[in-house]
Amino acid sequence: MDVEALRRLVDFMVDGGVEYLVINGTTAESPTVTAPERADILRIVREQVAGRVPLVYGIGGNDTAGVENLLRTTDLTGVMAILSASPAYNKPSQAGIVAHYERLADASPLPIILYNVPGRTSSNMTAATTLRLAQHANIIGIKEASGNLEQCMAIAAGRPAGFLLISGDDMLTVPMISFGAEGVISVLGNAFPDRMSRMTRAALEGNYAEASELLFGFLELNPLMYEESNPVGVKAALAALGLCSDAVRLPLVPASESLTERVRRLI
């Protein structure tokens, strides 16, 4: 781990205006980070943040009992909530997804934010499932990355008071805010925290002209973040900005020369 780069990145994002940080998410290469490294990362980020913004921590998986055990045994000092992705690969039914999350919510010492990302899990969590889970007292919101705006609208229309609808897709943040989303858990925000924060706040304040102008500035760059998988693209952007190297862990490999050049040109 490049600890100094991690500390730089934390300061860069906090100084850029983000309102909270998510640790051990997809963009943090969570599938290939070891348990001791995860503990170190949480400790380092907690030290560097020094209370300036809240922290959310990613704990998920497709073994419900294993995730439950992690929730019970992980030192979550300084963490405000858990982000937990729907189980990948074993593709549970909607009833299985409900049972999985209810088990985790019962066990978790912290509130849980659901995470629906069918592009990675091969399983969509429907609006009806989300709304059923929203009734649980320890489930406080959802990061919605299905890309289905009608599904997101159904959640916004039917959710109980206080249940957070959070965009999981940078480019859908502004339209989602227009019908009730509270913000975004962002990929591009790692490299462009100031612009992403200004865009999100403008939309939340109802200034959609300014928000759209900032959003359109990402149109060419955003697809490059996923062309060779996330976080390969955003690591290339961070390297171009001098914040860290473009190194990633196998089975991911650093951005190709072609992708790197296009990212640098757009930056």
Side-chain angles (χ1 to χ4, degrees):
M1 294 192 304
D2 187 339
V3 173
E4 292 310 309
L6 176 58
R7 291 186 183 277
R8 276 197 303 275
L9 187 60
V10 167
D11 287 341
F12 180 66
M13 287 189 285
V14 174
D15 292 344
V18 303
E19 294 187 340
Y20 58 96
L21 295 177
V22 178
I23 304 163
N24 197 43
T26 305
T27 312
E29 298 186 70
S30 54
T32 49
V33 177
T34 68
E37 287 172 332
R38 285 196 295 270
D40 283 345
I41 290 167
L42 178 55
R43 174 183 55 79
I44 292 161
V45 172
R46 186 170 56 227
E47 288 173 359
Q48 196 68 22
V49 165
R52 288 177 290 170
V53 296
L55 303 178
V56 174
Y57 189 68
I59 298 181
N62 58 2
D63 170 13
T64 305
V67 179
E68 181 183 26
N69 183 61
L70 282 174
L71 287 168
R72 293 186 187 279
T73 59
T74 301
D75 179 3
L76 296 170
T77 303
V79 176
M80 300 293 288
I82 300 297
L83 178 67
S84 192
S86 182
Y89 190 76
N90 41 16
K91 298 176 70 173
S93 66
Q94 297 302 302
I97 292 172
V98 168
H100 170 81
Y101 275 121
E102 287 181 338
R103 176 97 165 257
L104 300 188
D106 288 343
S108 178
L110 296 174
I112 286 180
I113 301 170
L114 311 171
Y115 182 13
N116 184 36
V117 57
R120 287 187 176 269
T121 65
S122 297
S123 174
N124 179 52
M125 182 160 46
T126 67
T129 294
T130 299
L131 293 174
R132 179 174 171 184
L133 288 167
Q135 302 303 315
H136 195 292
N138 206 32
I139 295 176
I140 62 168
I142 183 168
K143 177 184 177 183
E144 239 294 348
S146 66
N148 184 334
L149 285 177
E150 286 192 28
Q151 178 166 296
C152 296
M153 289 179 194
I155 296 168
R159 61 183 167 166
F163 185 81
L164 302 169
L165 174 59
I166 303 164
S167 173
D169 184 325
D170 289 336
M171 302 309 289
L172 295 183
T173 300
V174 174
M176 283 183 63
I177 287 173
S178 75
F179 57 76
E182 276 76 22
V184 58
I185 293 176
S186 174
V187 174
L188 282 166
N190 285 273
F192 306 97
D194 176 69
R195 182 190 287 183
M196 183 61 65
S197 296
R198 286 189 290 121
M199 181 195 82
T200 305
R201 288 196 185 96
L204 288 167
E205 292 166 2
N207 189 347
Y208 290 107
E210 179 184 348
S212 296
E213 182 179 357
L214 290 163
L215 175 66
F216 296 157
F218 289 127
L219 274 172
E220 286 188 81
L221 187 62
N222 185 69
L224 304 187
M225 299 298 99
Y226 307 95
E227 186 174 299
E228 296 179 6
S229 192
N230 177 40
V232 172
V234 76
K235 272 290 193 75
L238 289 165
L241 292 167
L243 286 158
C244 67
S245 80
D246 65 351
V248 288
R249 290 188 176 179
L250 289 171
L252 300 179
V253 294
S256 65
E257 185 176 338
S258 169
L259 178 59
T260 299
E261 178 55 35
R262 282 177 285 146
V263 168
R264 286 177 175 169
R265 178 178 55 83
L266 285 172
I267 288 176

